[in-house]
Amino acid sequence: MRRIFGFVFLALFVIVTSAPAATVDLPGMRFPGTVDRDAQGIARISAWTRHDVFFLQGWVHAQDRLFQMDFTRKAASGTLAELVGDAGLGNDVQARAIGLRRAAEASWLAISPRAREAIAAYAAGVNAGIGSVTALPPEYGALELTRVDPWTPIDTVVIAKAIAFSLSFDLDDIDRTIALLTYMAAGNVLGFDGTRLFFEDLFTSRPFNPASTVPDASGAGAKPGLIEIPSPLVDVERRFSQMSPAVLPLLLEYRESVSKTALFGNLGIEEMRAGSNEWAIAGRHTSSGRSLMANDPHLALSTPSTFYPIALRAPNLNVIGMGFPGTPFVILGQNERIAWGATRNPMDVTDVYVEQLVLDPTAPAGLSTRSNGETDWLLPILQTFRKNNPGDGTMDNIVVVPPGGPIPQAALIVPRKNAPIIALDVAAGTAISVQYTGLWGTREIESFLVWNEARNLEDFQRGLEMFDFGSQNWSYVDVDGNIAYFTSGEMPLREDLQDNRVEGAPPYLIRDGSGGNDWIRLTNPPAGQAIPYEILPANEMPHLINPPAGWFVNANNDPAGTTLDGNPLNQVRPGGGIFYLSPGYDGYRAGRITQMIRDRLAGGGKISFADMQAMQADTVMIDAEFFMPIILGAHANAGGAGAHPALAALGSSPAVSAAVARLAAWDLSTPTGIPEGYDASDVGGVRADPSQAEIATSVAATIYSVWRGQILRNTVDGVMDAGGLPKPDGEVALAALKQLFEFFPLRGGMGASGINFFNVPDVQDPAARRDIIVLKSLADSLALLASPEFAPAFGGSTDLDDYRWGKLHRIVFAHSIIPQFSIPSAAIGWPAPLAGLPGIPTDGGFGVVDASSHSPRAAGLNSFMFGSGPVRRFVAEGGSGTLRTHTSLPGGTSGIPGSPFYFNLLPMWLTNESFEQQLQSGPTLPWGAR
């Protein structure tokens, strides 16, 4: 009877709304629902119960993104080789060691029955979708597979864990320690201070730009209280000199083993790192009088796209936005009352330890660790690995891979920390473990269910309490005009920091596992807390509600200002102990956004909805704002009386002078300058011929971008390469170079380590050395642009007019296994626009707000390409009881090549245009939540 009753109301709903929608009634549903595909291919789902709306979300995900979902769950679970074969085994070994699947099983028990029911309904819908497809996606045929494993609720949770993992797991502990150990050893031989080279010269915590979220928005200043702590340098030298010689080889081996895996690979690739922008403006500063909020998360720009747009409607649920294929709910978006966005917060929730191993015949694995004078068994978790064999002509040929060599028999856990062993040398008695908040049973997936239904700021904060790991910054706006900013995630408190000291290495380096610097264990954790350790209280996490300035900005920059002086460990918590969040942050995009907001508000100005979108499209290079006066100054000095002959020769070079003239007229933006390129100035996703002004600006962007890599090569990198020393990543190196220029009047180019970074033989005057290197880097850039390396773009030309930025700044939206399915590709109907050059040319560049970064070291034909950026752009306007939102997506809803929705949304994304999001309307649904 109830099912017949549902048909009656469904008919009434369809008649009243007059919306073209397909009725769907599948086994496992409680009532029929509707799926309306709009003109853009976006599914708009309506159902009478929450069970059915999430069931149908799983069903459409399976129709559109099945292979992507399957690939993601297997990469996270450590079963990728069962899909792709031998190429996935390295990923599987490392994924099993870390244990996200084990953590997902614990998380399934930690979330509420209501959330479990929603996830189970979604999984049932995915399986219905798998069962209803007439043909599997073409990737399965290429891999010689004819079937797909059934979807389970744990598959959904492990995908959610993997996404949060990618946003919060930190390999930098390992990279930094490798650098420090190497510098210390080399310094002892070559006569410089390797410890100061690390802490003060290169791996400085000072951001490139000092924009900081809470201090800028509150006017409270960055330093609530300072503490003098003993310098970590002496103790680090003592502790590291006593470290087992097996540690560095273990670290290097592990770093290499994870660098090319699906789960870990992007964590170490500078231009693929997750980032994001968000900012909000209170109504008193806007032209409409209503509050504005913008957000664009930066993740891998792949094919199919990372996000999946969707609208969901059920009793007490009406939400639209972006979700992840493989998980239910809208992850970022809006409902009838609130809208929210997110950026990555690099909060330090990962500690890596050197463990002392001892042989122990009483232990299950035959091994134990020693800590605080006690011996603890290592817990072995037996593993069985399997792999597919594509190419052998046999379908579904999945076989067991026996243990041996790189294939372990078991994963090993340090039980007292729930910390997996990621590398070990039994003969040396040394192992590396990693303690990470995401390896406990956590509930972040449930936050989205709460937010999808939220009615106000209090509801949003209630959901925030469940976001246990994933380390995000959240932006919020609602129909009442409130704006708010929150950071999330459980931040563990360390024993030594809570005692106002640093025991050995700071927590952003590998720590001594013998004790004294552990996370503070709780016997009875508070209800609702995921990890059994003391955490930073919510009221001490950076946050803002309707801030005094009437605006806030976060673009992965320092939220609390703790790193602005270069020391992340010298502030005091209100509750006592060192206030530590992270050793460093992005220092580029937030500075430019903050600058644009202040400029627009100067003199009582107002900001409009269109302004927010224009700011998202901004491509000004903020690093050029600092370095351009240095280039122009060096050229002016070269023409001065008494200039060193080498400097004067560079300054009188016609090519160098012509390049300087181009740079002097540059507005620091980065258009493509070619008709094949996509620019924010183009309209409707259609490319237009560039103006002469755009061409001139494009040339300057090329010259400067190549100069940036050459100045790094001739300063920081030249010193490191000469000593065979590891270099910091490009963003850190560029911040270090800026610091060298800032300190030049005091140090003359010398670092605190005693190394001269502006080394020009036979030139005694430090200022002349500096200016020679600046102009030599410009001359080197021009030579490089005319070289065979760049001939496919510029044909060996020395004519500056030929150096159009779009020939270098390109993107391929890469498919995970089949290059022909990538964009661009003639096979899918989007041929490469530039003959002989891969990718689609776009505006943008290093560190710009419209994120499209390459390495600042770029010096090759394809090294200026990018692979991550806005996976959605979103602007919301709230107040007066309503919300208005616009969004965009770099792709389409379908992952099936040949579908009209494979890349239909991409052209508009490429020209920075959006479409309005509209919630579903119709009569009030008659039943309460089910």
Side-chain angles (χ1 to χ4, degrees):
M1 176 62 72
R2 189 177 66 171
R3 194 166 183 81
I4 296 172
F5 193 49
F7 274 112
V8 173
F9 275 102
L10 179 67
L12 174 63
F13 174 72
V14 171
I15 293 170
V16 172
T17 59
S18 299
T23 300
V24 182
D25 186 14
L26 294 166
M29 293 180 65
R30 297 176 180 174
F31 301 102
T34 62
V35 178
D36 173 19
R37 297 275 187 170
D38 66 16
Q40 296 154 325
I42 298 172
R44 301 170 67 83
I45 298 172
S46 290
W48 298 110
T49 69
R50 281 175 177 75
H51 173 278
D52 289 344
V53 83
F54 298 131
F55 180 102
L56 287 174
Q57 187 179 15
W59 185 68
V60 299
H61 278 177
Q63 288 180 325
D64 290 342
R65 300 288 189 91
L66 180 58
F67 182 79
Q68 180 187 27
M69 296 161 61
D70 200 12
F71 186 97
T72 306
R73 68 168 167 173
K74 284 181 162 59
S77 299
T79 57
L80 185 61
E82 297 177 20
L83 188 66
V84 303
D86 287 319
L89 278 173
N91 174 88
D92 292 351
V93 169
Q94 301 303 333
R96 304 275 190 100
I98 286 291
L100 285 187
R101 185 82 184 188
R102 298 191 296 271
E105 290 166 350
S107 297
W108 176 250
L109 300 177
I111 62 178
S112 70
R114 187 165 179 266
R116 288 201 295 269
E117 198 280 335
I119 293 169
Y122 174 87
V126 173
N127 287 323
I130 294 172
S132 66
V133 295
T134 56
L136 290 177
E139 293 91 341
Y140 290 100
L143 294 170
E144 297 181 349
L145 294 170
T146 65
R147 57 178 181 263
V148 179
D149 295 334
W151 199 266
T152 71
I154 302 299
D155 292 330
T156 285
V157 180
V158 80
I159 285 179
K161 297 284 276 192
I163 293 164
F165 172 86
S166 71
L167 297 169
S168 61
F169 187 74
D170 188 5
L171 281 175
D172 286 347
D173 291 14
I174 293 172
D175 293 337
R176 294 189 189 100
T177 303
I178 289 171
L180 177 57
L181 288 172
T182 309
Y183 295 170
M184 289 171 59
N188 292 335
V189 174
L190 301 177
F192 62 83
D193 190 326
T195 311
R196 291 188 182 277
L197 174 64
F198 177 87
F199 282 102
E200 298 183 38
D201 290 349
L202 296 185
F203 286 82
T204 174
S205 291
R206 291 179 69 216
F208 191 94
N209 184 282
S212 52
T213 305
V214 173
D216 288 346
S218 66
K223 299 289 182 184
L226 292 175
I227 182 173
E228 289 294 330
I229 63 171
S231 169
L233 304 185
V234 174
D235 204 28
V236 163
E237 289 174 344
R238 178 179 63 83
R239 291 294 188 95
F240 274 45
S241 66
Q242 297 171 355
M243 190 175 288
S244 165
V247 169
L248 183 56
L250 278 177
L251 297 180
L252 290 168
E253 180 183 353
Y254 178 72
R255 192 66 184 81
E256 176 64 23
S257 67
V258 300
S259 64
K260 297 178 182 178
T261 63
L263 181 61
F264 296 81
N266 291 346
L267 297 177
I269 301 175
E270 186 175 0
E271 55 270 32
M272 292 293 286
R273 287 187 187 144
S276 303
N277 302 322
E278 65 184 12
W279 64 96
I281 314 292
R284 69 177 187 268
H285 291 315
T286 70
S287 56
S288 68
R290 302 171 67 204
S291 296
L292 294 168
M293 186 263 281
N295 175 229
D296 49 290
H298 308 153
L299 298 170
L301 292 170
S302 54
T303 300
S305 57
T306 301
F307 272 140
Y308 183 98
I310 201 160
L312 305 173
R313 186 164 183 258
N316 302 319
L317 174 72
N318 194 3
V319 63
I320 187 170
M322 299 293 173
F324 289 115
T327 68
F329 318 132
V330 165
I331 303 301
L332 298 177
Q334 69 161 113
N335 62 28
E336 293 169 332
R337 302 281 304 176
I338 75 167
W340 68 98
T343 69
R344 178 178 179 262
N345 176 15
M347 197 163 66
D348 190 356
V349 296
T350 310
D351 277 358
V352 183
Y353 293 91
V354 177
E355 304 282 358
Q356 180 186 351
L357 282 184
V358 293
L359 295 175
D360 184 350
T362 68
L367 294 169
S368 292
T369 62
R370 288 195 62 80
S371 176
N372 292 314
E374 298 181 356
T375 300
D376 296 297
W377 287 354
L378 288 184
L379 174 67
I381 301 176
L382 296 178
Q383 304 292 322
T384 300
F385 293 87
R386 297 177 177 84
K387 71 180 182 77
N388 186 23
N389 289 277
D392 68 356
T394 303
M395 305 303 287
D396 302 315
N397 187 20
I398 299 173
V399 299
V400 171
V401 181
I407 307 301
Q409 187 171 21
L412 298 173
I413 308 295
V414 181
R416 62 188 167 81
K417 301 178 187 174
N418 192 33
I421 297 291
I422 57 174
L424 78 164
D425 184 335
V426 175
T430 302
I432 309 296
S433 70
V434 58
Q435 190 171 25
Y436 174 53
T437 59
L439 298 181
W440 297 91
T442 59
R443 303 163 298 158
E444 55 286 339
I445 194 171
E446 190 165 353
S447 298
F448 302 109
L449 177 58
V450 174
W451 292 340
N452 283 196
E453 302 169 338
R455 309 301 295 167
N456 51 39
L457 185 57
E458 290 74 20
D459 286 348
F460 188 81
Q461 290 176 279
R462 182 167 53 85
L464 197 69
E465 294 172 1
M466 301 178 185
F467 207 93
D468 299 322
F469 99 108
S471 305
Q472 294 289 283
N473 305 285
W474 300 97
S475 54
Y476 170 96
V477 66
D478 63 27
V479 296
D480 298 317
N482 294 304
I483 60 172
Y485 162 85
F486 301 97
T487 53
S488 69
E490 295 184 352
M491 177 66 176
L493 299 181
R494 283 87 171 173
E495 292 175 316
D496 53 337
L497 302 192
Q498 191 58 21
D499 194 33
N500 290 333
R501 62 188 175 84
V502 177
E503 177 74 20
Y508 51 88
L509 292 167
I510 291 187
R511 313 204 83 185
D512 184 346
S514 62
N517 52 19
D518 290 336
W519 296 359
I520 302 172
R521 171 73 71 166
L522 290 174
T523 305
N524 296 301
Q529 183 173 312
I531 65 174
Y533 304 97
E534 286 192 29
I535 64 173
L536 193 67
N539 63 354
E540 294 185 40
M541 296 279 281
H543 65 280
L544 297 159
I545 297 174
N546 296 321
W551 55 268
F552 66 79
V553 174
N554 187 272
N556 318 119
N557 57 304
D558 189 332
T562 58
T563 63
L564 302 189
D565 64 353
N567 187 347
L569 291 166
N570 66 343
Q571 283 199 49
V572 181
R573 287 183 51 217
I578 294 173
F579 183 48
Y580 170 66
L581 296 173
S582 174
Y585 298 88
D586 184 284
Y588 298 90
R589 287 170 282 108
R592 173 60 180 163
I593 298 166
T594 300
Q595 181 185 78
M596 288 191 288
I597 290 173
R598 286 177 168 153
D599 288 347
R600 282 170 166 81
L601 296 182
K606 302 290 186 180
I607 292 177
S608 69
F609 196 97
D611 288 334
M612 301 287 275
Q613 294 176 309
M615 291 164 68
Q616 284 184 324
D618 184 77
T619 63
V620 166
M621 292 180 178
I622 197 168
D623 69 302
E625 194 172 74
F626 175 82
F627 286 113
M628 279 299 304
I630 291 172
I631 297 173
L632 302 181
H635 190 257
N637 293 341
H644 188 280
L647 177 61
L650 283 165
S652 62
S653 161
V656 168
S657 295
V660 169
R662 297 287 185 131
L663 294 174
W666 183 34
D667 68 358
L668 312 186
S669 67
T670 59
T672 64
I674 56 176
E676 300 90 348
Y678 288 88
D679 293 276
S681 60
D682 296 333
V683 178
V686 178
R687 294 166 291 183
D689 289 340
S691 66
Q692 287 303 309
E694 286 179 313
I695 290 172
T697 302
S698 165
V699 169
T702 299
I703 295 169
Y704 175 78
S705 296
V706 179
W707 174 86
R708 185 198 292 114
Q710 295 304 294
I711 188 70
L712 282 172
R713 183 177 71 90
N714 290 329
T715 53
V716 173
D717 290 359
V719 169
M720 296 293 99
D721 289 340
L725 304 175
K727 299 185 284 281
D729 75 30
E731 290 187 10
V732 175
L734 197 63
L737 179 62
K738 179 179 185 251
Q739 179 175 275
L740 287 168
F741 276 109
E742 289 174 327
F743 290 172
F744 196 89
L746 296 175
R747 295 180 175 173
M750 299 291 290
S753 59
I755 291 175
N756 177 15
F757 287 91
F758 293 85
N759 185 24
V760 182
D762 302 322
V763 178
Q764 302 303 314
D765 177 35
R769 290 199 300 263
R770 175 199 63 200
D771 292 344
I772 287 169
I773 285 180
V774 169
L775 293 188
K776 179 183 183 300
S777 299
L778 189 55
D780 291 347
S781 303
L782 298 175
L784 189 58
L785 286 165
S787 73
E789 169 64 27
F790 285 83
F794 305 129
S797 174
T798 58
D799 185 345
L800 298 184
D801 281 334
D802 290 334
Y803 299 155
R804 312 289 179 84
W805 180 231
K807 293 288 189 75
L808 299 182
H809 191 250
R810 296 170 268 113
I811 181 171
V812 171
F813 297 85
H815 187 274
S816 57
I817 66 163
I818 300 179
Q820 292 86 348
F821 293 168
S822 299
I823 304 171
S825 168
I828 51 91
W830 192 319
L834 299 172
L837 296 173
I840 298 171
T842 78
D843 56 1
F846 173 76
V848 303
V849 174
D850 188 13
S852 46
S853 268
H854 52 80
S855 169
R857 292 189 168 96
L861 178 67
N862 294 324
S863 59
F864 297 88
M865 297 177 69
F866 65 103
S868 69
V871 290
R872 77 151 183 176
R873 297 190 186 97
F874 179 78
V875 175
E877 182 178 56
S880 304
T882 62
L883 282 171
R884 176 169 72 107
T885 62
H886 279 231
T887 195
S888 67
L889 185 75
T893 57
S894 177
I896 308 298
S899 165
F901 304 120
Y902 191 61
F903 54 66
N904 59 303
L905 299 174
L906 180 56
M908 296 283 283
W909 181 91
L910 288 167
T911 57
N912 288 82
E913 291 165 288
S914 62
F915 54 89
E916 186 170 3
Q917 282 190 164
Q918 293 189 337
L919 293 165
Q920 299 181 79
S921 59
T924 301
L925 296 175
W927 290 307
R930 288 189 175 84

